[in-house]
Amino acid sequence: MFDIKWIRANADAFDAALATRGAQPRSAELLALDDHRRQVIAHLNEAQETRNAASKQIGKAKAEKDDQRASALMDEVAHLKSTIQKGEAEERELEANLRQKLAELPNVPLADVPVGEDEDGNVEYFGPNSSRELAAKARPPKPEFAFAPKQHFELGEALGGMDFETAAKLSGSRFVVLKSQVARLERAIGQFMLDMHTLEHGYLEVQPPLLVRDEPLYGTGQLPKFLADQFGVLKDVTAEEQSERMWLIPTAEVPLTNLVRESILDEAELPLRFTALTPCFRSEAGSAGRDTRGMLRQHQFNKVEMVSITTPEQSTDEHERMLACAEKVLSRLGIHYRVMTLCTGDMGFGAQKTYDIEAWLPGQDTYREISSVSVCGDFQARRMDARYRPKDGKPRYVHTLNGSGTAVGRALIAVMENYQQEDGSIAIPDALQPYMGGLTAIGNS
RNA sequence: GGAGAGAUGGCCGAGUGGUCGAAGGCGCACGCCUGGAAAGUGUGUAGGCGGGGAACCGUCUCGAGGGUUCGAAUCCCUCUCUCUCCGCCA
C-alpha cells in the first residue's frame, strides 16, 4: 500500500514503476481524488472548530445559569450540525475510495530489479559478489546418472508411498496421500528445516493459526485482489448466508507477518525473525492444466516459512541473509540449485525484490522453484499498521520480508529425484538420516 | 451451546452529558539534590489527519464502526475481544 503523500511528491517515479509492472499510470487520478479529500477535510475542520468553540461557551453559560445566552448560542451553531455530518460522511467516502484504489496497486520494484514482462526476463543471481565461479563452488553440483532418472511420482507410486488416485476420491485433483517411508521422509524434511532455522539461523519457532480473518490477508496483500486464489471456510455451514467467513492460509507468511500488526515495536527488538512449518492451501484457480501430474502443484502442501521484521535500514541486508538461510537448506541436502532475481513483471504483488531458488529436478530435466524470498519494504507494514519507534523520534513503518525455507513438498520431490537409485530406491541424504532413525535408504528392504 | 461481567494512555486505575486527550499512581526521560548512589524533589512523557519552512495551530481518536445531542469516555445500535459460572470436548 502506498503513502499518498509519497505519490504526491514522486508522481513520475510512481507512474514509471507501475509501467515496469505492466500497469497504466495512475498518479493524476489518485492525486485529484486526494486533493478533493483534503479540501473536504479543511472545510470540515473549520466547521468543527466553530462548533467546538460555541459548545464550550454553551457549557459555560449553563454553568452560570445563563439560559438565555445558552439558547442564543445554540441557535447560532444549530445549522453547523448538518454541515458537519455531511462533511464527515463525504470524508469517509473519499477516504475509503482512496484506500481501496491504493490497496489494489502493486509495490514499486527496487532500482536494481531487472525490468521484464514475464519469467523470461528473470536474471540468474550469483550472490553479492556476482561471481558465477564462487557460486558454483559453494553450491552442490548437478548429479550424474548412469540410467534415465525417473520423475518423483513414478518413484513414489512404485514405492507405494504416493497415492494420487485415492486422494482424488477423497478430495479431487491436486491432492495426494503420502504413506509409509515417503510420508516419513516428508516429515523428516520439515523437521530438519525447522531445526536449522531455529537452532542455526536465529528464527523463533511459531505455530500460528491456519485459519485467519480477512484483515491479515489484507495486511500481507492477498486481499482484496487475489480472493480467487484462496480457500475460504464458513464458521457455521448451517447458516450459510449469515456465517462468518474465514480463510485457510495460503502461506505462513500471512499469520507470521501479521504477528506485529497494529503495534509499535521498540527499535532495540528489531529485527524479529519468525519461522513456522505449516500446511498451505491454494486454490490456484488460474493455473488449471499446469503441472497436473505429481505433487508439484497441490491445493495443500507443507512449507517452512521465514519472516523478518526490520527497520528500513536493515531490510536489504536481511534479504541477502534470508536468501542465504534458504540456500543453506539445499546445500545441506546436497541438492543442486540456481538462484534467479525475478524481473519486474514476474514479481509478486507486495514485493520490492524477489529471489527464487530453483532446485534441479533430474526426472524433469529442469529447474523448479522451491523457495521464493522477498523484501516488501513498508508495503505490508502500512496495510497492517505495523511500526517501530526509533531511539529518538516518531514511529516509522517497519519493513517486512518473507521467504520459504523451503517448500517441504517440493523438497521431497527434489530429494527423491536427486537421490534415486537405479532399482527405484531412494538414498537418504546425510543431513536427514538422524530424522529417519538412521536409515540410509528407503524402498530396498 | 446457556447465563453474567467487562474493554480508558507504556502499565495500574478514576471518571455516567459540558473548558476531559482524560485525575491519581507506577514506569520512562531530563534536571535538581549527592563524593557517588538510593531516597527525595521539579519538569516532561500517545497516535492519525489537515495547514505551516519551522515554532506552532486546528481536528479526530477513551476496544472498532455507526447514531442521538449545541456538546459524548459517559446515552443508543452493530461488531470484535477478554473474564467468570454451567454444559460439551481433543
Side-chain angles (χ1 to χ4, degrees):
Chain A
M1 175 106 113
F2 286 98
D3 181 4
I4 187 67
K5 288 183 209 161
W6 182 86
I7 296 177
R8 205 183 301 143
N10 304 278
D12 292 340
F14 171 72
D15 283 334
L18 287 183
T20 67
R21 286 203 174 237
Q24 294 298 308
R26 299 289 298 277
S27 67
E29 169 202 351
L30 293 166
L31 291 178
L33 184 60
D34 184 50
D35 283 343
H36 186 192
R37 180 184 133 259
R38 286 191 295 161
Q39 246 173 44
V40 168
I41 288 175
H43 282 138
L44 176 63
N45 280 2
E46 231 172 88
Q48 284 170 329
E49 186 179 353
T50 311
R51 181 205 60 192
N52 289 349
S55 289
K56 276 189 184 177
Q57 294 302 314
I58 292 169
K60 240 187 230 173
K62 289 232 171 174
E64 290 161 10
K65 304 277 190 228
D66 188 348
D67 287 347
Q68 220 177 345
R69 193 169 120 75
S71 55
L73 282 164
M74 278 161 70
D75 289 346
E76 228 173 273
V77 291
H79 73 281
L80 283 177
K81 193 177 173 180
S82 69
T83 308
I84 288 170
Q85 283 182 333
K86 264 187 229 157
E88 283 173 345
E90 196 174 358
E91 190 203 341
R92 271 203 296 274
E93 195 183 320
L94 289 166
E95 195 88 53
N97 195 338
L98 184 62
R99 196 177 167 77
Q100 198 181 333
K101 287 195 154 84
L102 291 174
E104 295 194 7
L105 297 172
N107 205 352
V108 169
L110 291 178
D112 61 347
V113 171
V115 174
E117 282 182 25
D118 53 34
E119 68 220 39
D120 295 334
N122 297 344
V123 174
E124 193 164 358
Y125 179 64
F126 299 104
N129 304 316
S130 301
S131 164
R132 181 186 289 266
E133 290 70 32
L134 282 179
K137 225 172 161 184
R139 298 170 187 174
K142 201 187 272 194
E144 293 186 15
F145 290 89
F147 56 94
K150 295 192 172 98
Q151 295 208 54
H152 70 277
F153 49 86
E154 301 173 277
L155 295 161
E157 286 177 327
L159 286 167
M162 268 181 207
D163 185 346
F164 296 96
E165 275 181 46
T166 304
K169 284 187 202 162
L170 305 184
S171 310
S173 65
R174 296 198 186 280
F175 287 92
V176 66
V177 174
L178 296 184
K179 290 187 282 199
S180 185
Q181 300 291 50
V182 175
R184 187 182 191 187
L185 180 57
E186 201 268 5
R187 175 161 57 91
I189 290 169
Q191 299 306 319
F192 158 71
M193 292 175 182
L194 196 54
D195 280 352
M196 190 165 155
H197 297 315
T198 55
L199 300 177
E200 297 177 36
H201 297 150
Y203 286 83
L204 180 74
E205 180 168 353
V206 176
Q207 288 199 31
L210 307 179
L211 232 34
V212 296
R213 295 184 205 282
D214 287 18
E215 289 81 0
L217 277 183
Y218 179 90
T220 34
Q222 284 80 12
L223 290 182
K225 233 189 150 179
F226 304 97
L227 182 122
D229 295 338
Q230 315 302 322
F231 276 112
V233 299
L234 297 176
K235 242 180 144 176
D236 179 1
V237 290
T238 64
E240 202 174 320
E241 289 301 316
Q242 309 93 305
S243 182
E244 194 182 333
R245 180 179 65 176
M246 296 196 81
W247 303 101
L248 284 162
I249 59 168
T251 158
E253 170 198 345
V254 174
L256 291 184
T257 309
N258 278 281
L259 287 176
V260 298
R261 69 177 292 117
E262 293 163 48
S263 58
I264 301 179
L265 306 162
D266 283 334
E267 178 165 19
E269 53 185 320
L270 300 178
L272 289 171
R273 299 190 175 107
F274 304 123
T275 187
L277 165 57
T278 70
C280 303
F281 302 91
R282 297 187 183 176
S283 88
E284 305 263 3
S287 62
R290 282 190 72 185
D291 305 314
T292 48
R293 292 213 64 186
M295 55 180 290
L296 197 76
R297 193 177 299 275
Q298 300 274 290
H299 285 316
Q300 175 192 327
F301 58 94
N302 288 321
K303 177 160 62 65
V304 172
E305 182 74 0
M306 301 175 284
V307 161
S308 293
I309 311 295
T310 73
T311 66
E313 290 72 27
Q314 295 166 334
S315 63
T316 50
D317 284 350
E318 183 72 7
H319 192 207
E320 298 296 327
R321 182 188 189 275
M322 188 180 275
L323 173 66
C325 292
E327 287 185 63
K328 194 64 157 274
V329 170
L330 295 177
S331 298
R332 200 71 69 77
L333 291 175
I335 290 170
H336 176 68
Y337 66 89
R338 65 178 186 183
V339 179
M340 307 296 288
T341 304
L342 297 194
C343 71
T344 52
D346 200 31
M347 277 198 310
F349 182 72
Q352 281 184 327
K353 183 177 178 182
T354 298
Y355 295 124
D356 270 10
I357 301 177
E358 299 180 341
W360 174 249
L361 299 185
Q364 283 203 8
D365 192 33
T366 187
Y367 292 93
R368 295 303 300 246
E369 176 188 342
I370 194 166
S371 170
S372 190
V373 182
S374 299
V375 56
C376 299
D378 63 11
F379 185 86
Q380 294 178 324
R382 286 179 188 286
R383 293 170 159 255
M384 299 189 299
D385 193 22
R387 293 170 291 173
Y388 76 100
R389 190 182 298 280
K391 285 186 196 78
D392 284 304
K394 293 224 144 208
R396 299 169 74 195
Y397 286 107
V398 297
H399 278 199
T400 60
L401 301 97
N402 62 80
S404 6
T406 66
V408 179
R410 288 191 176 181
L412 174 70
I413 293 173
V415 167
M416 290 175 70
E417 292 200 9
N418 281 281
Y419 283 85
Q420 61 180 295
Q421 314 293 306
E422 189 156 18
D423 65 358
S425 65
I426 313 290
I428 303 299
D430 293 348
L432 294 179
Q433 288 175 12
Y435 295 89
M436 292 291 286
L439 282 183
T440 56
I442 58 174
N444 56 355
S445 53

